[in-house]
Amino acid sequence: DTEVTQTPKHLVMGMTNKKSLKCEQHMGHRAMYWYKQKAKKPPELMFVYSYEKLSINESVPSRFSPECPNSSLLNLHLHALQPEDSALYLCASSQGLLNTEAFFGQGTRLTVV
Amino acid sequence: EDQVTQSPEALRLQEGESSSLNCSYTVSGLRGLFWYRQDPGKGPEFLFTLYSAGEEKEKERLKATLTKKESFLHITAPKPEDSATYLCAGRTGANNLFFGTGTRLTVIP
């Protein structure tokens, strides 16, 4: 089983809203990632968690706040987003940080209005 | 600067017409070269990992190879269902999975 589950699949939110994206994996992976992907562009790394600790933050604005409650769950809390934040948000997990492939979820299509 | 460059940007093939996609990379401390397939609006689907020059891996009509500077994804006798964007990524020493811009493949029946 190489499944990473993301919810919701689609989200429309206003610029003053607070919402959360959720990601879950049951493969025993200890590294989890958030990526942002704009149309016809490659995924760009936002955050990396290793053993439930934030290990990489790629200078992401504070209106995006990640959280890793346990080894199977990863959340991305959203607040006061801008229309340019509209994108496909992808969660991924890997067994470890080094030399291992990452498996991606199907993504959350976020639209900020 | 770490960089992954893919070519061509787009490729149209007739069904059964074999071809190759190219991924050239300059990644410091490369810890694996990865190939993914991505369908529109979906997450990338893992295909292959290559770790050292000379390594080859195969899966159905796809074969990935790696040299010290580039990787190729060979597609033999493609079918329309192989149409997708193929992404190449390098894992850096800092653990960033660094993606190329992809090759958009269309296979015409």
Side-chain angles (χ1 to χ4, degrees):
Chain A
D1 181 11
T2 56
E3 189 170 344
V4 176
T5 303
Q6 290 188 242
T7 55
K9 287 187 170 44
H10 302 276
L11 178 63
V12 179
M13 61 185 289
M15 289 189 283
T16 58
N17 291 160
K18 285 185 181 181
K19 296 286 185 184
S20 297
L21 309 185
K22 297 186 184 302
C23 175
E24 190 168 2
Q25 57 88 14
H26 295 289
M27 295 177 279
H29 289 175
R30 301 316 299 264
M32 296 186 77
Y33 313 76
W34 281 115
Y35 281 82
K36 173 182 177 178
Q37 187 175 26
K38 301 282 273 184
K40 299 191 177 180
K41 297 287 188 183
E44 292 182 358
L45 183 67
M46 300 174 72
F47 303 104
V48 180
Y49 273 82
S50 174
Y51 289 85
E52 297 141 58
K53 287 186 167 43
L54 184 65
S55 64
I56 296 178
N57 175 342
E58 291 287 339
S59 303
V60 179
S62 60
R63 58 186 184 268
F64 295 92
S65 175
E67 178 196 20
C68 190
N70 60 55
S71 60
S72 300
L73 294 174
L74 185 66
N75 298 321
L76 186 63
H77 302 297
L78 313 172
H79 173 55
L81 295 192
Q82 304 296 311
E84 57 265 29
D85 296 320
S86 299
L88 182 67
Y89 287 84
L90 295 163
C91 173
S93 71
S94 64
Q95 190 170 19
L97 279 184
L98 302 176
N99 295 2
T100 59
E101 53 268 20
F103 294 93
F104 284 81
Q106 292 300 292
T108 294
R109 171 68 62 189
L110 174 68
T111 304
V112 182
V113 297
Chain B
E1 182 185 342
D2 294 328
Q3 197 166 2
V4 175
T5 304
Q6 292 187 247
S7 62
E9 188 175 314
L11 181 62
R12 289 171 66 88
L13 298 173
Q14 288 293 135
E15 184 172 0
E17 180 188 0
S18 301
S19 188
S20 296
L21 314 183
N22 176 263
C23 169
S24 61
Y25 63 90
T26 51
V27 176
S28 57
L30 184 75
R31 296 178 181 273
L33 190 293
F34 301 82
W35 281 98
Y36 287 85
R37 168 195 169 127
Q38 187 173 27
D39 293 300
K42 301 285 182 68
E45 174 190 346
F46 171 73
L47 294 174
F48 302 110
T49 310
L50 301 164
Y51 290 113
S52 52
E55 192 174 356
E56 298 183 354
K57 288 194 178 170
E58 283 188 72
K59 179 181 178 181
E60 296 180 355
R61 295 178 291 282
L62 300 177
K63 179 180 176 180
T65 62
L66 183 66
T67 71
K68 287 187 178 178
K69 292 185 179 180
E70 55 192 350
S71 178
F72 293 93
L73 184 66
H74 307 277
I75 303 178
T76 302
K79 298 182 177 182
E81 53 263 39
D82 294 322
S83 298
T85 295
Y86 290 85
L87 295 165
C88 166
R91 189 184 284 281
T92 71
N95 187 48
N96 188 356
L97 199 59
F98 199 93
F99 283 88
T101 51
T103 293
R104 196 167 57 255
L105 174 67
T106 304
V107 181
I108 305 160

